[in-house]
Amino acid sequence: MELKIRHVSKDYGTFAALHDVSLDIRSGELVALLGPSGSGKTTLLRAIAGLETIDEGQIFFGGTDASRTSIQQRNVGFVFQHYALFRHMKVADNIAFGLRARDRSRRPHESEIARKVKELLELVQLPELGDRYPAQLSGGQRQRVALARALAIEPQVLLLDEPFGALDAQVRKDLRRWLRAIHEETGHTTVFVTHDQEEALELADRVAVLSKGELQQIGTPDDIYDRPATPFVYAFIGDSSFLPIEVRGGEAVLDRSVLPLGQLSAPDGQARLHVRPQDVVLRPTGEGVSGRVTLLRRTGAFRRADIEVGDARRRIEAQLPPELAITEGDEVGLHFNRFAVFPSDAPHSTAPN
Ligand SMILES: Nc1ncnc2c1ncn2[C@@H]1O[C@H](COP(=O)(O)OP(=O)(O)OP(=O)(O)O)[C@@H](O)[C@H]1O
Ligand SMILES: [Mg+2]
């Protein structure tokens, strides 16, 4: 089922939880909604489910405008972070719940329900646990049962709101791979909310980045990482530094000196030049942008250097191979493999949370 979200806005009183959000989700695609706390991820997911009304815009399921239809009519499967299973029901009965709750004309026969539950228990790799109660399961097992319960109704769309948020890092990693495998097998159109960028980049076909109720960018993990569309995406995903520059006639000016970066397409005015540490390459002094190494430290497989640039000694970070012969205090030239210039008044973030 293809989803089309068109110009959706949602206010709580005077507060805009979603502002003019448009995105298309292809049939069978797994899209992650990524953003800091309060950015509108859950609101958007609930709006897709029909758990939340929208003030403006439309949500299409396939060719049909579903904006005003009920949650039942939309036929979505939902898993929440703390979506408690029914404690007094065995695992198998939890999974069967949505099928048994249907009205008589659409309710499958009990033997069909039993067959379906067995199949789902195998899919989520808990074939032996149908007779247990939720209290007798680990957190990760419970979330797998919650997913089986969401899948039981054969949803048109699967919506997952931080389903692994409460679990420890290793279990999350395992479940992430497992969810991807299940997705390949079942092919549901899936929207997955997370504020963990690693989870989003690893799991999703495409990532939609939200900030303050606005869609900043939707793209493949490579697009989001290598070609951030806004200053917010630069700051929120991965590491980056920026230099406050002025653009004059297509030239980048830092502290009254023109940076040798070639012709920019940015408009004249105050701007910020954003660059990721891995896109900063060291050259001999005199080549490229001049700088001075002020700090070197080892981070995992690489070294990181703080490099001061310009009269005002602005600091940018570079990622260097550990064998590079360099010491603190060295004068260097810098080349930027990739960078982006945005006007200073573009929306940005300094403190993603
Ligand atoms: N029922 C409500 N009444 C008023 N404001 C609300 C309501 N629900 C959400 N909000 C506000 O809307 C904004 C978006 O909330 P939402 O739950 O969508 O964020 P989120 O991105 O899911 O955050 P988190 O990562 O913390 O779950 C927040 O500022 C929140 O305070
Ligand atoms: Mg949320």
Side-chain angles (χ1 to χ4, degrees):
M1 175 63 61
E2 181 194 17
L3 282 178
K4 284 198 175 87
I5 294 152
R6 288 289 148 81
H7 304 293
V8 165
S9 294
K10 168 79 188 176
D11 297 339
Y12 290 113
T14 56
F15 179 79
L18 293 175
H19 180 67
D20 196 15
V21 172
S22 292
L23 65 120
D24 289 358
I25 297 169
R26 296 190 274 267
S27 189
E29 195 175 27
L30 198 166
V31 166
L33 297 181
L34 176 67
S37 187
S39 56
K41 306 179 296 293
T42 295
T43 305
L44 181 56
L45 205 70
R46 289 172 58 86
I48 296 171
L51 288 163
E52 199 77 73
T53 58
I54 54 176
D55 298 322
E56 277 173 55
Q58 290 163 303
I59 297 174
F60 290 90
F61 276 53
T64 314
D65 183 354
S67 315
R68 309 278 171 266
T69 59
S70 70
I71 176 160
Q72 286 81 11
Q73 285 166 308
R74 295 188 203 190
N75 193 34
V76 296
F78 216 116
V79 180
F80 301 93
Q81 179 175 351
H82 299 288
Y83 197 21
L85 297 169
F86 303 116
R87 280 189 304 147
H88 56 285
M89 274 187 206
K90 287 182 177 171
V91 163
D93 297 325
N94 264 283
I95 296 172
F97 181 81
L99 294 174
R100 292 197 180 123
R102 285 183 180 169
D103 50 57
R104 192 163 293 165
S105 63
R106 293 176 53 244
R107 192 185 313 153
H109 196 268
E110 270 303 315
S111 61
E112 170 61 17
I113 292 179
R115 192 194 60 75
K116 181 102 209 174
V117 167
K118 184 165 180 289
E119 187 185 295
L120 284 164
L121 280 169
E122 273 160 24
L123 181 72
V124 301
Q125 293 162 11
L126 300 170
E128 311 296 328
L129 301 191
D131 282 333
R132 293 237 190 126
Y133 285 92
Q136 298 167 317
L137 302 177
S138 73
Q141 288 170 335
R142 273 182 223 156
Q143 287 309 80
R144 287 195 266 164
V145 174
L147 185 69
R149 183 169 65 177
L151 289 170
I153 59 160
E154 289 170 3
Q156 307 195 72
V157 174
L158 191 57
L159 303 174
L160 311 172
D161 194 353
E162 310 224 24
F164 311 141
L167 305 170
D168 73 49
Q170 189 53 47
V171 178
R172 286 177 74 124
K173 271 197 173 156
D174 294 345
L175 285 181
R176 204 188 285 173
R177 300 229 168 85
W178 166 86
L179 180 68
R180 183 71 225 181
I182 293 220
H183 177 76
E184 313 260 293
E185 197 173 327
T186 60
H188 282 94
T189 305
T190 303
V191 187
F192 182 97
V193 166
T194 179
H195 60 252
D196 179 339
Q197 47 177 285
E198 197 184 300
E199 192 162 271
L201 294 170
E202 189 178 320
L203 191 61
D205 297 315
R206 287 191 302 155
V207 179
V209 183
L210 284 171
S211 163
K212 297 181 180 161
E214 293 189 31
L215 182 72
Q216 298 275 321
Q217 184 172 7
I218 175 158
T220 62
D222 286 342
D223 288 337
I224 298 284
Y225 207 83
D226 294 335
R227 291 171 289 280
T230 68
F232 176 85
V233 180
Y234 253 109
F236 185 63
I237 316 258
D239 292 331
S240 67
S241 321
F242 72 84
L243 295 173
I245 59 166
E246 190 186 341
V247 179
R248 266 191 238 142
E251 287 187 318
V253 180
L254 176 71
D255 303 332
R256 291 182 298 282
S257 308
V258 173
L259 297 176
L261 296 173
Q263 192 70 15
L264 309 175
S265 55
D268 280 7
Q270 298 299 319
R272 284 179 170 186
L273 183 154
H274 297 256
V275 60
R276 295 207 185 280
Q278 62 272 28
D279 293 329
V280 178
V281 184
L282 263 52
R283 293 278 166 80
T285 356
E287 284 183 33
V289 176
S290 347
R292 196 170 72 86
V293 177
T294 56
L295 185 71
L296 276 173
R297 61 198 180 279
R298 183 74 191 227
T299 52
F302 294 94
R303 279 201 294 178
R304 282 290 173 95
D306 284 358
I307 299 170
E308 284 180 356
V309 179
D311 299 342
R313 302 169 73 181
R314 308 282 179 184
R315 190 173 58 83
I316 63 170
E317 252 194 326
Q319 175 175 292
L320 308 173
E323 63 278 8
L324 191 73
I326 191 167
T327 48
E328 288 172 5
D330 283 358
E331 302 285 336
V332 290
L334 303 172
H335 171 77
F336 304 149
N337 277 338
R338 239 196 275 260
F339 64 92
V341 173
F342 298 106
S344 292
D345 53 11
H348 68 276
S349 157
T350 46
N353 51 357

